Coordinates of all heavy atoms in Angstrom, one line a residue:
Q8 N 0.2 -18.1 10.2 CA -0.8 -17.1 10.4 C -2.0 -17.5 9.5 O -1.8 -17.8 8.3 CB -0.2 -15.8 9.9 CG -1.1 -14.6 10.1 CD -1.3 -14.2 11.6 OE1 -0.6 -14.6 12.5 NE2 -2.3 -13.4 11.8
P9 N -3.2 -17.5 10.0 CA -4.4 -17.9 9.3 C -4.5 -17.0 8.0 O -4.4 -15.8 8.1 CB -5.5 -17.7 10.2 CG -4.9 -17.7 11.6 CD -3.5 -17.2 11.4
G10 N -4.8 -17.7 6.9 CA -5.0 -16.9 5.6 C -3.8 -16.3 5.1 O -3.8 -15.5 4.2
H11 N -2.6 -16.6 5.6 CA -1.4 -16.0 5.2 C -1.4 -14.5 5.3 O -0.8 -13.8 4.5 CB -1.0 -16.5 3.8 CG -0.8 -17.9 3.6 ND1 0.3 -18.6 3.9 CD2 -1.7 -18.9 3.2 CE1 0.2 -19.9 3.7 NE2 -1.1 -20.1 3.3
T12 N -2.1 -14.0 6.3 CA -2.2 -12.5 6.5 C -1.1 -12.1 7.4 O -0.6 -12.8 8.3 CB -3.5 -12.1 7.0 OG1 -3.7 -12.8 8.3 CG2 -4.7 -12.5 6.1
C13 N -0.8 -10.8 7.3 CA 0.2 -10.2 8.2 C -0.6 -9.9 9.5 O -1.8 -9.4 9.5 CB 0.6 -8.8 7.6 SG 1.7 -7.9 8.7
P14 N -0.1 -10.3 10.6 CA -0.8 -10.2 11.9 C -1.1 -8.7 12.2 O -0.3 -7.8 11.9 CB 0.1 -10.8 12.9 CG 1.4 -10.8 12.3 CD 1.2 -10.8 10.9
R15 N -2.2 -8.5 12.9 CA -2.5 -7.1 13.4 C -1.8 -7.0 14.7 O -1.9 -7.9 15.6 CB -4.0 -7.0 13.6 CG -4.8 -7.0 12.3 CD -6.3 -7.1 12.6 NE -7.1 -7.2 11.4 CZ -7.6 -6.2 10.7 NH1 -7.5 -5.0 11.2 NH2 -8.2 -6.4 9.6
T16 N -1.1 -5.9 14.8 CA -0.3 -5.6 16.0 C -0.5 -4.2 16.5 O -1.2 -3.4 15.7 CB 1.2 -5.9 15.8 OG1 1.7 -4.9 14.8 CG2 1.5 -7.3 15.3
E17 N 0.1 -3.8 17.6 CA 0.0 -2.4 18.0 C 0.6 -1.5 17.0 O 0.1 -0.4 16.7 CB 0.7 -2.3 19.4 CG 0.4 -1.0 20.1 CD 1.0 -1.0 21.5 OE1 0.7 -1.9 22.2 OE2 1.7 0.0 21.8
E18 N 1.7 -2.0 16.4 CA 2.4 -1.2 15.4 C 1.7 -1.2 14.0 O 1.8 -0.2 13.3 CB 3.8 -1.7 15.2 CG 4.8 -0.8 14.6 CD 6.2 -1.3 14.6 OE1 6.4 -2.5 14.4 OE2 7.1 -0.4 14.9
L19 N 1.0 -2.3 13.7 CA 0.3 -2.4 12.5 C -1.2 -2.8 12.8 O -1.6 -4.0 12.7 CB 0.9 -3.5 11.6 CG 2.4 -3.3 11.1 CD1 2.9 -4.5 10.5 CD2 2.4 -2.1 10.2
P20 N -2.0 -1.9 13.2 CA -3.3 -2.2 13.7 C -4.2 -2.8 12.6 O -5.1 -3.6 12.9 CB -3.9 -0.8 14.1 CG -3.0 0.2 13.6 CD -1.7 -0.4 13.4
N21 N -4.0 -2.5 11.3 CA -4.7 -3.2 10.3 C -3.8 -4.1 9.5 O -4.0 -4.4 8.3 CB -5.3 -2.1 9.3 CG -6.4 -1.3 10.0 OD1 -7.2 -1.8 10.8 ND2 -6.4 0.0 9.8
G22 N -2.8 -4.7 10.1 CA -1.9 -5.6 9.5 C -1.2 -5.1 8.3 O -0.7 -3.9 8.3
M23 N -1.2 -5.8 7.2 CA -0.5 -5.4 5.9 C -1.1 -4.1 5.4 O -0.4 -3.3 4.7 CB -0.6 -6.5 4.9 CG 0.2 -6.3 3.7 SD 2.0 -6.0 4.0 CE 2.5 -7.7 4.4
A24 N -2.4 -3.9 5.6 CA -3.0 -2.6 5.1 C -2.3 -1.4 5.7 O -2.0 -0.4 5.0 CB -4.5 -2.6 5.3
T25 N -2.0 -1.5 7.0 CA -1.3 -0.4 7.7 C 0.1 -0.2 7.1 O 0.6 0.9 6.8 CB -1.1 -0.7 9.2 OG1 -2.4 -0.8 9.7 CG2 -0.4 0.5 9.9
F26 N 0.8 -1.3 6.8 CA 2.1 -1.3 6.2 C 2.0 -0.5 4.8 O 2.8 0.4 4.5 CB 2.7 -2.7 6.0 CG 4.0 -2.7 5.2 CD1 5.2 -2.4 5.8 CD2 4.0 -3.0 3.9 CE1 6.4 -2.4 5.1 CE2 5.2 -3.1 3.1 CZ 6.4 -2.8 3.8
L27 N 1.0 -0.9 4.0 CA 0.9 -0.3 2.7 C 0.5 1.2 2.8 O 1.0 2.0 2.0 CB -0.2 -1.0 1.9 CG -0.4 -0.5 0.5 CD1 0.8 -0.5 -0.4 CD2 -1.5 -1.4 -0.2
E28 N -0.3 1.5 3.8 CA -0.6 2.9 4.0 C 0.6 3.7 4.3 O 0.8 4.8 3.8 CB -1.6 3.1 5.1 CG -3.0 2.6 4.8 CD -3.9 2.3 6.0 OE1 -3.4 2.5 7.2 OE2 -5.1 1.9 5.9
K29 N 1.5 3.2 5.2 CA 2.7 3.9 5.5 C 3.7 4.0 4.3 O 4.3 5.0 4.1 CB 3.4 3.2 6.7 CG 2.6 3.3 8.0 CD 3.3 2.6 9.2 CE 2.5 2.8 10.4 NZ 3.2 2.3 11.6
M30 N 3.7 2.9 3.5 CA 4.5 3.0 2.3 C 4.1 4.1 1.4 O 4.9 4.9 0.8 CB 4.5 1.6 1.5 CG 5.2 0.5 2.2 SD 7.0 0.7 2.2 CE 7.3 0.8 0.4
M31 N 2.7 4.2 1.2 CA 2.2 5.2 0.3 C 2.5 6.6 0.8 O 2.8 7.5 0.1 CB 0.7 5.0 0.1 CG 0.4 3.8 -0.7 SD 1.1 3.7 -2.4 CE 0.3 5.0 -3.2
D32 N 2.4 6.8 2.2 CA 2.8 8.1 2.7 C 4.2 8.4 2.5 O 4.5 9.6 2.2 CB 2.5 8.1 4.3 CG 1.0 8.1 4.6 OD1 0.2 8.5 3.7 OD2 0.7 7.8 5.8
L33 N 5.1 7.5 2.5 CA 6.5 7.7 2.2 C 6.7 8.1 0.7 O 7.4 9.1 0.4 CB 7.4 6.5 2.5 CG 7.6 6.1 3.9 CD1 8.3 4.8 4.0 CD2 8.4 7.2 4.6
V34 N 5.9 7.5 -0.1 CA 6.0 7.8 -1.6 C 5.5 9.3 -1.8 O 6.1 10.0 -2.5 CB 5.1 6.8 -2.4 CG1 4.8 7.4 -3.8 CG2 5.7 5.5 -2.4
I35 N 4.4 9.6 -1.2 CA 3.8 10.9 -1.3 C 4.7 12.0 -0.8 O 4.9 13.1 -1.4 CB 2.4 11.0 -0.6 CG1 1.4 10.1 -1.3 CG2 1.9 12.4 -0.5 CD1 0.2 9.9 -0.5
E36 N 5.4 11.8 0.3 CA 6.2 12.8 0.9 C 7.6 12.9 0.4 O 8.3 13.9 0.7 CB 6.3 12.6 2.5 CG 4.9 12.6 3.1 CD 4.2 13.9 2.9 OE1 4.8 15.0 2.9 OE2 2.9 13.9 2.8
A37 N 8.1 11.9 -0.4 CA 9.5 11.9 -0.9 C 9.7 13.1 -1.9 O 9.0 13.1 -3.0 CB 9.8 10.6 -1.6
K38 N 10.5 14.0 -1.5 CA 10.8 15.2 -2.4 C 12.3 15.5 -2.4 O 13.0 15.2 -1.4 CB 10.1 16.4 -1.8 CG 8.6 16.2 -1.6 CD 7.8 16.7 -2.8 CE 6.3 16.8 -2.5 NZ 5.6 15.6 -2.7
T39 N 12.7 16.1 -3.4 CA 14.1 16.6 -3.5 C 14.2 17.9 -2.6 O 13.2 18.4 -2.2 CB 14.5 16.9 -4.9 OG1 13.7 18.0 -5.4 CG2 14.5 15.7 -5.8
R40 N 15.4 18.4 -2.4 CA 15.5 19.6 -1.6 C 14.8 20.8 -2.2 O 14.3 21.6 -1.4 CB 17.0 19.9 -1.5 CG 17.8 19.0 -0.6 CD 19.2 19.5 -0.3 NE 19.9 18.5 0.5 CZ 21.1 18.2 0.3 NH1 21.9 18.7 -0.6 NH2 21.7 17.3 1.1
D41 N 14.7 20.8 -3.5 CA 13.9 21.9 -4.1 C 12.5 21.6 -4.3 O 11.8 22.4 -5.0 CB 14.6 22.4 -5.4 CG 14.6 21.3 -6.5 OD1 14.1 20.2 -6.3 OD2 15.2 21.6 -7.5
G42 N 11.9 20.5 -3.7 CA 10.5 20.3 -3.7 C 10.0 19.4 -4.8 O 8.8 19.1 -4.9
R43 N 10.8 18.9 -5.7 CA 10.4 18.0 -6.8 C 10.1 16.7 -6.3 O 10.8 16.2 -5.4 CB 11.4 18.0 -7.9 CG 11.6 19.3 -8.7 CD 12.7 19.2 -9.7 NE 13.9 19.1 -9.0 CZ 15.0 18.4 -9.3 NH1 14.9 17.7 -10.4 NH2 16.1 18.4 -8.6
E44 N 9.1 16.0 -6.9 CA 8.7 14.7 -6.4 C 9.8 13.7 -6.8 O 10.4 13.8 -7.9 CB 7.4 14.2 -7.1 CG 6.2 15.0 -6.7 CD 5.0 14.6 -7.4 OE1 5.1 14.0 -8.5 OE2 3.9 15.0 -6.9
V45 N 10.1 12.7 -6.0 CA 11.1 11.7 -6.3 C 10.5 10.5 -6.9 O 11.0 10.0 -7.9 CB 11.9 11.3 -5.0 CG1 12.8 10.2 -5.2 CG2 12.6 12.5 -4.4
V46 N 9.4 10.0 -6.4 CA 8.8 8.8 -6.9 C 7.8 9.1 -8.0 O 7.0 10.0 -7.9 CB 8.0 8.0 -5.8 CG1 7.4 6.8 -6.3 CG2 9.0 7.8 -4.6
K47 N 8.0 8.4 -9.1 CA 7.2 8.7 -10.3 C 6.1 7.6 -10.5 O 5.2 7.8 -11.3 CB 8.0 8.8 -11.6 CG 9.1 9.8 -11.5 CD 8.5 11.2 -11.3 CE 9.6 12.2 -11.2 NZ 9.2 13.5 -10.7
G48 N 6.3 6.4 -9.9 CA 5.3 5.3 -10.1 C 5.5 4.4 -8.9 O 6.5 4.3 -8.3
F49 N 4.4 3.6 -8.6 CA 4.4 2.6 -7.6 C 3.5 1.5 -8.0 O 2.4 1.7 -8.4 CB 3.9 3.3 -6.3 CG 3.9 2.5 -5.1 CD1 5.0 2.5 -4.2 CD2 2.9 1.6 -4.7 CE1 5.1 1.7 -3.1 CE2 2.9 0.9 -3.6 CZ 4.0 0.9 -2.8
S50 N 4.0 0.3 -7.9 CA 3.2 -0.9 -8.3 C 3.2 -1.9 -7.1 O 4.2 -2.0 -6.4 CB 3.8 -1.6 -9.5 OG 3.8 -0.7 -10.6
W51 N 2.1 -2.5 -6.9 CA 2.0 -3.6 -5.9 C 1.2 -4.7 -6.5 O 0.1 -4.6 -7.0 CB 1.1 -3.0 -4.8 CG 0.9 -3.9 -3.6 CD1 0.0 -4.9 -3.5 CD2 1.7 -3.9 -2.4 NE1 0.2 -5.6 -2.3 CE2 1.2 -4.9 -1.6 CE3 2.7 -3.1 -1.9 CZ2 1.6 -5.2 -0.3 CZ3 3.2 -3.4 -0.6 CH2 2.7 -4.4 0.2
F52 N 1.9 -5.9 -6.6 CA 1.3 -7.0 -7.1 C 1.9 -8.3 -6.6 O 3.0 -8.3 -6.2 CB 1.4 -7.1 -8.7 CG 2.8 -6.9 -9.2 CD1 3.5 -8.1 -9.4 CD2 3.3 -5.7 -9.4 CE1 4.8 -7.9 -9.9 CE2 4.6 -5.6 -9.9 CZ 5.4 -6.7 -10.1
N53 N 1.1 -9.3 -6.5 CA 1.6 -10.6 -6.0 C 0.5 -11.6 -6.1 O -0.7 -11.3 -6.2 CB 2.1 -10.5 -4.6 CG 3.1 -11.5 -4.2 OD1 3.0 -12.7 -4.6 ND2 4.2 -11.1 -3.5
Q54 N 0.9 -12.9 -6.0 CA -0.1 -13.9 -5.8 C 0.1 -14.4 -4.4 O 1.0 -14.1 -3.7 CB 0.2 -15.1 -6.8 CG 0.0 -14.6 -8.2 CD 0.4 -15.8 -9.2 OE1 0.6 -16.9 -8.8 NE2 0.4 -15.5 -10.5
D55 N -0.9 -15.2 -3.9 CA -0.9 -15.7 -2.6 C 0.5 -16.4 -2.2 O 0.7 -17.5 -2.8 CB -2.0 -16.6 -2.3 CG -2.2 -17.1 -0.9 OD1 -1.4 -16.6 0.0 OD2 -3.0 -17.9 -0.6
S56 N 1.3 -15.7 -1.4 CA 2.5 -16.3 -0.9 C 3.6 -16.6 -2.0 O 4.5 -17.3 -1.7 CB 2.3 -17.5 -0.1 OG 1.3 -17.2 0.9
V57 N 3.4 -16.1 -3.2 CA 4.4 -16.4 -4.3 C 5.4 -15.3 -4.2 O 5.1 -14.1 -4.4 CB 3.7 -16.4 -5.7 CG1 4.8 -16.5 -6.8 CG2 2.7 -17.5 -5.8
G58 N 6.7 -15.6 -3.8 CA 7.7 -14.7 -3.7 C 7.7 -14.0 -2.3 O 8.5 -13.1 -2.1
G59 N 6.8 -14.4 -1.5 CA 6.8 -13.7 -0.1 C 6.1 -14.6 0.8 O 5.6 -15.7 0.5
T60 N 6.0 -14.2 2.1 CA 5.4 -15.0 3.1 C 3.9 -14.8 3.2 O 3.2 -15.7 3.5 CB 6.1 -14.6 4.5 OG1 7.5 -14.8 4.4 CG2 5.5 -15.4 5.6
Y61 N 3.5 -13.6 2.9 CA 2.1 -13.3 3.1 C 1.3 -13.3 1.8 O 1.9 -13.2 0.7 CB 2.0 -11.9 3.8 CG 2.6 -11.8 5.1 CD1 3.7 -10.9 5.3 CD2 2.2 -12.6 6.2 CE1 4.3 -10.8 6.6 CE2 2.8 -12.5 7.4 CZ 3.8 -11.6 7.6 OH 4.4 -11.6 8.8
D62 N 0.0 -13.3 1.9 CA -0.9 -13.2 0.8 C -1.0 -11.6 0.5 O -1.7 -10.9 1.3 CB -2.3 -13.8 1.1 CG -3.2 -13.6 -0.1 OD1 -2.9 -13.0 -1.1 OD2 -4.4 -14.1 0.0
L63 N -0.4 -11.2 -0.5 CA -0.3 -9.7 -0.8 C -1.3 -9.3 -1.9 O -1.2 -8.2 -2.4 CB 1.1 -9.3 -1.2 CG 2.2 -9.7 -0.2 CD1 3.6 -9.3 -0.7 CD2 1.9 -9.0 1.1
R64 N -2.2 -10.2 -2.2 CA -3.2 -9.9 -3.3 C -4.1 -8.7 -2.8 O -4.4 -8.6 -1.6 CB -4.0 -11.1 -3.6 CG -3.2 -12.2 -4.3 CD -4.1 -13.4 -4.5 NE -4.6 -13.9 -3.2 CZ -5.6 -14.8 -3.2 NH1 -6.1 -15.3 -4.2 NH2 -6.0 -15.2 -2.0
L65 N -4.6 -8.0 -3.8 CA -5.5 -6.8 -3.5 C -6.9 -7.3 -3.6 O -7.8 -6.5 -3.3 CB -5.2 -5.7 -4.5 CG -3.7 -5.2 -4.5 CD1 -3.5 -4.1 -5.5 CD2 -3.3 -4.7 -3.1
Q66 N -7.2 -8.5 -4.1 CA -8.5 -9.0 -4.3 C -8.7 -10.4 -3.6 O -7.7 -11.1 -3.5 CB -8.9 -9.1 -5.7 CG -8.9 -7.8 -6.5 CD -9.1 -8.0 -8.0 OE1 -8.5 -8.9 -8.6 NE2 -9.9 -7.2 -8.6
R67 N -9.9 -10.7 -3.2 CA -10.2 -12.0 -2.8 C -10.3 -13.0 -4.0 O -10.4 -12.5 -5.1 CB -11.5 -12.0 -2.0 CG -11.4 -11.2 -0.7 CD -12.8 -11.2 0.0 NE -12.8 -10.2 1.1 CZ -13.1 -8.9 0.9 NH1 -13.5 -8.4 -0.3 NH2 -13.0 -8.0 1.9
D68 N -10.5 -14.2 -3.7 CA -10.6 -15.2 -4.8 C -11.8 -14.9 -5.7 O -11.8 -15.2 -6.8 CB -10.7 -16.6 -4.2 CG -9.4 -17.2 -3.6 OD1 -8.3 -16.7 -4.1 OD2 -9.5 -18.0 -2.8
D69 N -12.9 -14.3 -5.1 CA -14.1 -14.1 -5.9 C -14.0 -12.8 -6.7 O -15.0 -12.4 -7.3 CB -15.3 -14.1 -5.0 CG -15.3 -13.0 -3.9 OD1 -14.4 -12.1 -3.9 OD2 -16.3 -13.0 -3.1
G70 N -12.9 -12.1 -6.6 CA -12.7 -10.8 -7.3 C -13.0 -9.6 -6.6 O -12.7 -8.5 -7.1
T71 N -13.6 -9.7 -5.4 CA -13.9 -8.5 -4.7 C -12.6 -7.9 -4.0 O -11.7 -8.6 -3.8 CB -15.0 -8.7 -3.6 OG1 -14.5 -9.8 -2.7 CG2 -16.3 -9.2 -4.2
I72 N -12.6 -6.6 -3.8 CA -11.5 -5.9 -3.3 C -11.4 -6.2 -1.8 O -12.4 -6.1 -1.0 CB -11.5 -4.4 -3.6 CG1 -11.5 -4.2 -5.1 CG2 -10.4 -3.7 -2.9 CD1 -11.8 -2.8 -5.5
N73 N -10.2 -6.6 -1.3 CA -10.0 -6.9 0.1 C -9.5 -5.6 0.8 O -9.4 -4.6 0.2 CB -9.1 -8.1 0.3 CG -7.7 -7.9 -0.3 OD1 -7.2 -6.7 -0.4 ND2 -7.0 -9.0 -0.6
E74 N -9.2 -5.8 2.1 CA -8.8 -4.6 2.9 C -7.5 -4.0 2.4 O -7.3 -2.8 2.4 CB -8.6 -5.1 4.4 CG -8.2 -4.0 5.3 CD -8.1 -4.4 6.8 OE1 -7.9 -5.6 7.0 OE2 -8.2 -3.5 7.6
L75 N -6.6 -4.9 1.9 CA -5.3 -4.4 1.4 C -5.6 -3.6 0.1 O -5.0 -2.6 -0.2 CB -4.4 -5.6 1.1 CG -2.9 -5.3 0.7 CD1 -2.3 -4.3 1.7 CD2 -2.1 -6.5 0.5
G76 N -6.5 -4.1 -0.8 CA -6.9 -3.5 -2.0 C -7.5 -2.1 -1.7 O -7.2 -1.1 -2.4
E77 N -8.3 -2.0 -0.7 CA -8.9 -0.7 -0.3 C -7.8 0.2 0.2 O -7.8 1.4 -0.2 CB -9.9 -0.9 0.9 CG -11.1 -1.7 0.5 CD -12.1 -1.0 -0.5 OE1 -11.9 0.2 -0.7 OE2 -13.0 -1.6 -1.0
A78 N -6.8 -0.2 0.9 CA -5.7 0.6 1.3 C -4.9 1.1 0.1 O -4.5 2.3 0.0 CB -4.8 -0.1 2.3
Y79 N -4.7 0.2 -0.9 CA -4.0 0.6 -2.1 C -4.7 1.7 -2.9 O -4.2 2.7 -3.3 CB -3.7 -0.6 -3.0 CG -2.9 -0.4 -4.2 CD1 -1.5 -0.3 -4.1 CD2 -3.5 -0.3 -5.5 CE1 -0.8 0.0 -5.2 CE2 -2.8 -0.1 -6.6 CZ -1.4 0.0 -6.5 OH -0.6 0.2 -7.6
I80 N -6.0 1.5 -3.0 CA -6.8 2.5 -3.7 C -6.8 3.8 -3.0 O -6.7 4.9 -3.6 CB -8.3 2.0 -3.9 CG1 -8.3 0.8 -4.9 CG2 -9.2 3.1 -4.3 CD1 -9.7 0.1 -4.9
A81 N -7.0 3.8 -1.7 CA -7.0 5.0 -0.9 C -5.6 5.7 -1.0 O -5.6 6.9 -1.2 CB -7.3 4.7 0.6
G82 N -4.5 5.0 -1.0 CA -3.2 5.6 -1.1 C -3.0 6.2 -2.4 O -2.4 7.3 -2.5
C83 N -3.4 5.5 -3.5 CA -3.2 6.0 -4.8 C -4.1 7.3 -5.0 O -3.6 8.2 -5.7 CB -3.6 5.0 -5.9 SG -2.4 3.6 -6.0
T84 N -5.3 7.3 -4.5 CA -6.2 8.4 -4.6 C -5.6 9.6 -3.9 O -5.5 10.7 -4.4 CB -7.6 8.1 -4.0 OG1 -8.1 7.0 -4.7 CG2 -8.5 9.3 -4.1
K85 N -5.1 9.4 -2.7 CA -4.4 10.5 -1.9 C -3.2 11.0 -2.7 O -3.0 12.2 -2.7 CB -4.0 9.9 -0.5 CG -3.4 10.9 0.4 CD -3.0 10.2 1.7 CE -2.3 11.1 2.7 NZ -1.9 10.3 3.9
W86 N -2.4 10.2 -3.2 CA -1.3 10.6 -4.0 C -1.7 11.4 -5.2 O -1.1 12.5 -5.5 CB -0.5 9.4 -4.4 CG 0.9 9.6 -5.1 CD1 1.6 10.8 -5.0 CD2 1.6 8.7 -5.8 NE1 2.8 10.6 -5.7 CE2 2.8 9.3 -6.2 CE3 1.4 7.4 -6.2 CZ2 3.8 8.7 -7.0 CZ3 2.4 6.7 -6.9 CH2 3.6 7.4 -7.3
A87 N -2.7 11.0 -5.9 CA -3.2 11.7 -7.1 C -3.7 13.1 -6.7 O -3.4 14.1 -7.4 CB -4.3 10.9 -7.8
Q88 N -4.4 13.2 -5.6 CA -4.9 14.5 -5.1 C -3.8 15.4 -4.7 O -3.9 16.6 -5.0 CB -5.9 14.2 -3.9 CG -7.2 13.6 -4.3 CD -8.0 13.1 -3.1 OE1 -7.5 13.0 -2.0 NE2 -9.3 12.8 -3.4
R89 N -2.7 14.9 -4.1 CA -1.6 15.7 -3.7 C -0.9 16.3 -5.0 O -0.4 17.4 -5.0 CB -0.6 15.0 -2.9 CG -1.1 14.6 -1.5 CD -0.9 15.8 -0.5 NE -1.3 15.4 0.8 CZ -0.6 15.0 1.7 NH1 0.7 14.8 1.5 NH2 -1.0 14.7 2.9
R90 N -0.8 15.4 -6.0 CA -0.1 15.8 -7.2 C -0.9 16.9 -8.0 O -0.3 17.7 -8.8 CB 0.1 14.6 -8.2 CG 1.0 13.6 -7.5 CD 1.4 12.6 -8.5 NE 2.5 13.2 -9.3 CZ 2.7 12.8 -10.6 NH1 2.0 11.9 -11.1 NH2 3.6 13.4 -11.3
Q91 N -2.2 17.0 -7.8 CA -3.0 18.1 -8.5 C -2.9 19.4 -7.8 O -3.3 20.4 -8.4 CB -4.4 17.6 -8.5 CG -4.7 16.4 -9.4 CD -6.1 15.9 -9.4 OE1 -6.9 16.5 -8.7 NE2 -6.4 14.9 -10.1
R92 N -2.2 19.5 -6.7 CA -2.1 20.8 -6.0 C -1.1 21.7 -6.7 O -0.2 21.4 -7.3 CB -1.7 20.6 -4.6 CG -2.7 20.0 -3.7 CD -2.3 19.9 -2.3 NE -3.3 19.1 -1.6 CZ -3.1 18.7 -0.3 NH1 -2.0 19.1 0.3 NH2 -4.0 18.1 0.3

């Protein structure tokens, strides 16, 4: 795959960013039967293809935030907003 990116498919229209968005939704919605949050923290880090097949970095080589980084920020923001309710 060019750039070691996760391919865009019908199931993952934004590739790895869609996967991360879905992961964050699972984190946000995970609750015990009595409504308490299950997940207390979530970390995402990696180097280009180190320990994995894809480039899972949140930034480009020049330090700017890439599409995956934007999805991570959006997911964390959404989670923080839900926790404030």
Side-chain angles (χ1 to χ4, degrees):
Q8 186 69 16
H11 299 275
T12 60
C13 179
R15 293 173 186 263
T16 65
E17 193 172 308
E18 197 172 42
L19 298 171
N21 294 320
M23 187 59 70
T25 303
F26 175 80
L27 182 55
E28 290 164 0
K29 290 180 179 187
M30 288 291 299
M31 293 302 294
D32 286 343
L33 290 172
V34 165
I35 292 166
E36 299 303 325
K38 307 263 191 275
T39 62
R40 288 187 183 143
D41 63 3
R43 291 174 292 142
E44 294 177 344
V45 173
V46 181
K47 304 300 182 194
F49 185 90
S50 298
W51 183 277
F52 54 91
N53 205 319
Q54 295 179 7
D55 185 6
S56 305
V57 175
T60 302
Y61 300 118
D62 181 357
L63 303 177
R64 296 176 299 165
L65 304 177
Q66 298 175 316
R67 295 178 192 89
D68 288 334
D69 65 5
T71 58
I72 298 171
N73 62 23
E74 185 177 22
L75 188 56
E77 294 290 347
Y79 184 77
I80 291 168
C83 290
T84 300
K85 181 178 174 182
W86 188 17
Q88 290 170 342
R89 292 277 182 95
R90 293 191 77 209
Q91 292 177 358
R92 292 183 186 174

